Amino acid sequence: NFLSGLILMLERPIKIGDIVEVENVRGTVEWLGARSTRIKTFDNLRLVVPNSVILQNKIINWSLTDDIVRRSINVGVMYGSPVRTVERLLLQAADEQRLIERYPAPQVYFEEFGDSALIFELLIWISLVRAGKEQSNLKRVESDIRFRVDELFRQEGIIIAYPQRDLHIDSIKPIEVKL
C-alpha cells in the first residue's frame, strides 16, 4: 500500500477534489495518503480505500481531464404521438436549463418502438464545476428537466406512456359474469 501510495502521488491518476467511482461507489477524493485514500461519497459517507486497490482495480475518474459529464434522460410517449414535436420539446426543456452545456449541444434520439411506448433519449452534458460536484446537483438538473418535459408535454397534449396490456380470451361459449 505504501508503494502504491508513492505511485499515486507521482503519477497523479487521481487527486484531491476529483470525482471517482470505486467498486460502484461514487464520491470525491477528500484525502490522499501514503497507504490509503479517503473518498467522501455522495451520501456523505467516508470510504477509506487502500492505495493498492486503486492501482489494481478499474477506477473511473470522472474529472481526470475535464469536468464535463454526459447524462441521459429517457422518456416513453404513447404510440401515435407526433415524434418531431416530442423531439422539439425535449430539446426545449434542455435549452431552458441553465446548467446544461451548449457545446456539445443536447441531442435527442428516437431509441425504439417499445412494447407500450415510443422511447426517446435526451443526451445532455453538464459541467461538474458549474453544477457543483455533488451527485445531488446532477440529479437536480435531471429532475428539473423531467418536470419541464412533463409540463411541455401536457401543454401539447402528448401523453407519457405507461404499460398497456390487451387480454384476449378465446372461449367456445360466452363467459358468464356475476356481480
Side-chain angles (χ1 to χ4, degrees), residues 58-77:
K58 181 177 89 172
I59 304 297
I60 298 172
N61 187 337
W62 286 41
S63 52
L64 180 64
T65 57
D66 65 28
D67 71 325
I68 306 294
V69 294
R70 186 184 78 183
R71 304 297 286 188
S72 165
I73 297 172
N74 295 315
V75 64
V77 298

mmCIF file of all heavy atoms in Angstrom, residues 58-77:
data_model
loop_
_atom_site.group_PDB
_atom_site.id
_atom_site.type_symbol
_atom_site.label_atom_id
_atom_site.label_comp_id
_atom_site.label_asym_id
_atom_site.label_seq_id
_atom_site.Cartn_x
_atom_site.Cartn_y
_atom_site.Cartn_z
ATOM 1 N N LYS A 58 -10.096 -1.332 -11.644
ATOM 2 C CA LYS A 58 -10.569 -0.289 -12.550
ATOM 3 C C LYS A 58 -11.231 0.822 -11.725
ATOM 4 O O LYS A 58 -12.148 0.579 -10.955
ATOM 5 C CB LYS A 58 -11.577 -0.867 -13.538
ATOM 6 C CG LYS A 58 -12.087 0.145 -14.532
ATOM 7 C CD LYS A 58 -13.032 -0.487 -15.531
ATOM 8 C CE LYS A 58 -14.426 -0.405 -14.964
ATOM 9 N NZ LYS A 58 -15.480 -0.800 -15.896
ATOM 10 N N ILE A 59 -10.725 2.021 -11.879
ATOM 11 C CA ILE A 59 -11.258 3.193 -11.210
ATOM 12 C C ILE A 59 -11.716 4.165 -12.291
ATOM 13 O O ILE A 59 -10.977 4.426 -13.236
ATOM 14 C CB ILE A 59 -10.182 3.884 -10.327
ATOM 15 C CG1 ILE A 59 -9.581 2.904 -9.317
ATOM 16 C CG2 ILE A 59 -10.739 5.118 -9.644
ATOM 17 C CD1 ILE A 59 -10.553 2.357 -8.317
ATOM 18 N N ILE A 60 -12.901 4.694 -12.145
ATOM 19 C CA ILE A 60 -13.376 5.715 -13.079
ATOM 20 C C ILE A 60 -13.133 7.073 -12.441
ATOM 21 O O ILE A 60 -13.628 7.344 -11.347
ATOM 22 C CB ILE A 60 -14.875 5.525 -13.398
ATOM 23 C CG1 ILE A 60 -15.095 4.174 -14.066
ATOM 24 C CG2 ILE A 60 -15.378 6.672 -14.276
ATOM 25 C CD1 ILE A 60 -16.551 3.809 -14.254
ATOM 26 N N ASN A 61 -12.361 7.901 -13.114
ATOM 27 C CA ASN A 61 -12.119 9.269 -12.658
ATOM 28 C C ASN A 61 -12.926 10.189 -13.571
ATOM 29 O O ASN A 61 -12.555 10.445 -14.707
ATOM 30 C CB ASN A 61 -10.632 9.613 -12.712
ATOM 31 C CG ASN A 61 -10.338 10.952 -12.080
ATOM 32 O OD1 ASN A 61 -11.215 11.816 -11.984
ATOM 33 N ND2 ASN A 61 -9.112 11.132 -11.639
ATOM 34 N N TRP A 62 -14.053 10.669 -13.052
ATOM 35 C CA TRP A 62 -14.973 11.487 -13.840
ATOM 36 C C TRP A 62 -14.376 12.837 -14.198
ATOM 37 O O TRP A 62 -14.856 13.509 -15.102
ATOM 38 C CB TRP A 62 -16.263 11.700 -13.067
ATOM 39 C CG TRP A 62 -17.154 10.509 -13.004
ATOM 40 C CD1 TRP A 62 -16.801 9.210 -12.811
ATOM 41 C CD2 TRP A 62 -18.568 10.515 -13.138
ATOM 42 N NE1 TRP A 62 -17.900 8.406 -12.804
ATOM 43 C CE2 TRP A 62 -19.011 9.190 -12.993
ATOM 44 C CE3 TRP A 62 -19.506 11.510 -13.336
ATOM 45 C CZ2 TRP A 62 -20.339 8.840 -13.063
ATOM 46 C CZ3 TRP A 62 -20.838 11.153 -13.396
ATOM 47 C CH2 TRP A 62 -21.242 9.829 -13.275
ATOM 48 N N SER A 63 -13.382 13.262 -13.482
ATOM 49 C CA SER A 63 -12.857 14.619 -13.688
ATOM 50 C C SER A 63 -11.357 14.633 -13.955
ATOM 51 O O SER A 63 -10.692 15.615 -13.682
ATOM 52 C CB SER A 63 -13.197 15.487 -12.467
ATOM 53 O OG SER A 63 -12.776 14.864 -11.268
ATOM 54 N N LEU A 64 -10.830 13.573 -14.544
ATOM 55 C CA LEU A 64 -9.389 13.487 -14.780
ATOM 56 C C LEU A 64 -8.911 14.534 -15.775
ATOM 57 O O LEU A 64 -7.980 15.288 -15.500
ATOM 58 C CB LEU A 64 -9.011 12.086 -15.277
ATOM 59 C CG LEU A 64 -7.526 11.861 -15.560
ATOM 60 C CD1 LEU A 64 -6.713 11.990 -14.276
ATOM 61 C CD2 LEU A 64 -7.303 10.484 -16.174
ATOM 62 N N THR A 65 -9.544 14.612 -16.943
ATOM 63 C CA THR A 65 -9.073 15.550 -17.960
ATOM 64 C C THR A 65 -9.975 16.764 -18.118
ATOM 65 O O THR A 65 -9.528 17.810 -18.553
ATOM 66 C CB THR A 65 -8.937 14.856 -19.329
ATOM 67 O OG1 THR A 65 -10.200 14.290 -19.687
ATOM 68 C CG2 THR A 65 -7.875 13.767 -19.277
ATOM 69 N N ASP A 66 -11.266 16.604 -17.841
ATOM 70 C CA ASP A 66 -12.165 17.762 -17.848
ATOM 71 C C ASP A 66 -13.321 17.475 -16.904
ATOM 72 O O ASP A 66 -13.414 16.398 -16.324
ATOM 73 C CB ASP A 66 -12.656 18.121 -19.260
ATOM 74 C CG ASP A 66 -13.517 17.045 -19.892
ATOM 75 O OD1 ASP A 66 -14.191 16.281 -19.164
ATOM 76 O OD2 ASP A 66 -13.547 16.973 -21.127
ATOM 77 N N ASP A 67 -14.192 18.442 -16.750
ATOM 78 C CA ASP A 67 -15.260 18.308 -15.765
ATOM 79 C C ASP A 67 -16.634 18.152 -16.408
ATOM 80 O O ASP A 67 -17.644 18.294 -15.754
ATOM 81 C CB ASP A 67 -15.257 19.514 -14.829
ATOM 82 C CG ASP A 67 -15.735 20.772 -15.523
ATOM 83 O OD1 ASP A 67 -15.453 20.930 -16.721
ATOM 84 O OD2 ASP A 67 -16.405 21.583 -14.871
ATOM 85 N N ILE A 68 -16.675 17.833 -17.700
ATOM 86 C CA ILE A 68 -17.939 17.696 -18.411
ATOM 87 C C ILE A 68 -18.362 16.223 -18.390
ATOM 88 O O ILE A 68 -17.581 15.351 -18.780
ATOM 89 C CB ILE A 68 -17.822 18.170 -19.880
ATOM 90 C CG1 ILE A 68 -17.275 19.591 -19.961
ATOM 91 C CG2 ILE A 68 -19.156 18.047 -20.600
ATOM 92 C CD1 ILE A 68 -18.149 20.651 -19.389
ATOM 93 N N VAL A 69 -19.589 15.963 -17.941
ATOM 94 C CA VAL A 69 -20.118 14.602 -17.950
ATOM 95 C C VAL A 69 -21.405 14.561 -18.767
ATOM 96 O O VAL A 69 -22.144 15.545 -18.816
ATOM 97 C CB VAL A 69 -20.379 14.064 -16.525
ATOM 98 C CG1 VAL A 69 -19.080 13.918 -15.763
ATOM 99 C CG2 VAL A 69 -21.354 14.934 -15.772
ATOM 100 N N ARG A 70 -21.625 13.434 -19.403
ATOM 101 C CA ARG A 70 -22.843 13.254 -20.178
ATOM 102 C C ARG A 70 -23.862 12.514 -19.334
ATOM 103 O O ARG A 70 -23.530 11.561 -18.641
ATOM 104 C CB ARG A 70 -22.566 12.461 -21.449
ATOM 105 C CG ARG A 70 -23.797 12.376 -22.352
ATOM 106 C CD ARG A 70 -23.546 11.529 -23.545
ATOM 107 N NE ARG A 70 -23.643 10.133 -23.110
ATOM 108 C CZ ARG A 70 -23.430 9.089 -23.890
ATOM 109 N NH1 ARG A 70 -23.063 9.261 -25.137
ATOM 110 N NH2 ARG A 70 -23.545 7.870 -23.446
ATOM 111 N N ARG A 71 -25.088 12.982 -19.401
ATOM 112 C CA ARG A 71 -26.190 12.337 -18.696
ATOM 113 C C ARG A 71 -27.282 12.021 -19.702
ATOM 114 O O ARG A 71 -27.375 12.646 -20.761
ATOM 115 C CB ARG A 71 -26.732 13.239 -17.585
ATOM 116 C CG ARG A 71 -25.670 13.687 -16.582
ATOM 117 C CD ARG A 71 -25.063 12.559 -15.836
ATOM 118 N NE ARG A 71 -26.024 12.077 -14.856
ATOM 119 C CZ ARG A 71 -25.769 11.198 -13.927
ATOM 120 N NH1 ARG A 71 -24.584 10.674 -13.841
ATOM 121 N NH2 ARG A 71 -26.682 10.821 -13.084
ATOM 122 N N SER A 72 -28.123 11.091 -19.364
ATOM 123 C CA SER A 72 -29.159 10.617 -20.264
ATOM 124 C C SER A 72 -30.505 10.649 -19.553
ATOM 125 O O SER A 72 -30.607 10.230 -18.394
ATOM 126 C CB SER A 72 -28.798 9.187 -20.679
ATOM 127 O OG SER A 72 -29.870 8.543 -21.260
ATOM 128 N N ILE A 73 -31.523 11.143 -20.255
ATOM 129 C CA ILE A 73 -32.883 11.166 -19.732
ATOM 130 C C ILE A 73 -33.765 10.449 -20.753
ATOM 131 O O ILE A 73 -33.814 10.845 -21.912
ATOM 132 C CB ILE A 73 -33.367 12.608 -19.497
ATOM 133 C CG1 ILE A 73 -32.494 13.277 -18.440
ATOM 134 C CG2 ILE A 73 -34.846 12.629 -19.096
ATOM 135 C CD1 ILE A 73 -32.739 14.747 -18.261
ATOM 136 N N ASN A 74 -34.429 9.392 -20.309
ATOM 137 C CA ASN A 74 -35.282 8.614 -21.197
ATOM 138 C C ASN A 74 -36.744 8.910 -20.917
ATOM 139 O O ASN A 74 -37.130 9.112 -19.758
ATOM 140 C CB ASN A 74 -35.029 7.114 -21.012
ATOM 141 C CG ASN A 74 -33.630 6.736 -21.421
ATOM 142 O OD1 ASN A 74 -33.145 7.158 -22.457
ATOM 143 N ND2 ASN A 74 -32.963 5.950 -20.598
ATOM 144 N N VAL A 75 -37.543 8.907 -21.981
ATOM 145 C CA VAL A 75 -38.985 9.105 -21.830
ATOM 146 C C VAL A 75 -39.688 8.292 -22.911
ATOM 147 O O VAL A 75 -39.207 8.179 -24.032
ATOM 148 C CB VAL A 75 -39.366 10.608 -21.905
ATOM 149 C CG1 VAL A 75 -39.054 11.200 -23.262
ATOM 150 C CG2 VAL A 75 -40.831 10.829 -21.555
ATOM 151 N N GLY A 76 -40.812 7.709 -22.527
ATOM 152 C CA GLY A 76 -41.631 6.964 -23.474
ATOM 153 C C GLY A 76 -42.946 7.682 -23.673
ATOM 154 O O GLY A 76 -43.589 8.092 -22.707
ATOM 155 N N VAL A 77 -43.339 7.857 -24.925
ATOM 156 C CA VAL A 77 -44.619 8.517 -25.224
ATOM 157 C C VAL A 77 -45.545 7.527 -25.916
ATOM 158 O O VAL A 77 -45.112 6.530 -26.484
ATOM 159 C CB VAL A 77 -44.424 9.780 -26.095
ATOM 160 C CG1 VAL A 77 -43.574 10.809 -25.356
ATOM 161 C CG2 VAL A 77 -43.813 9.447 -27.440
#
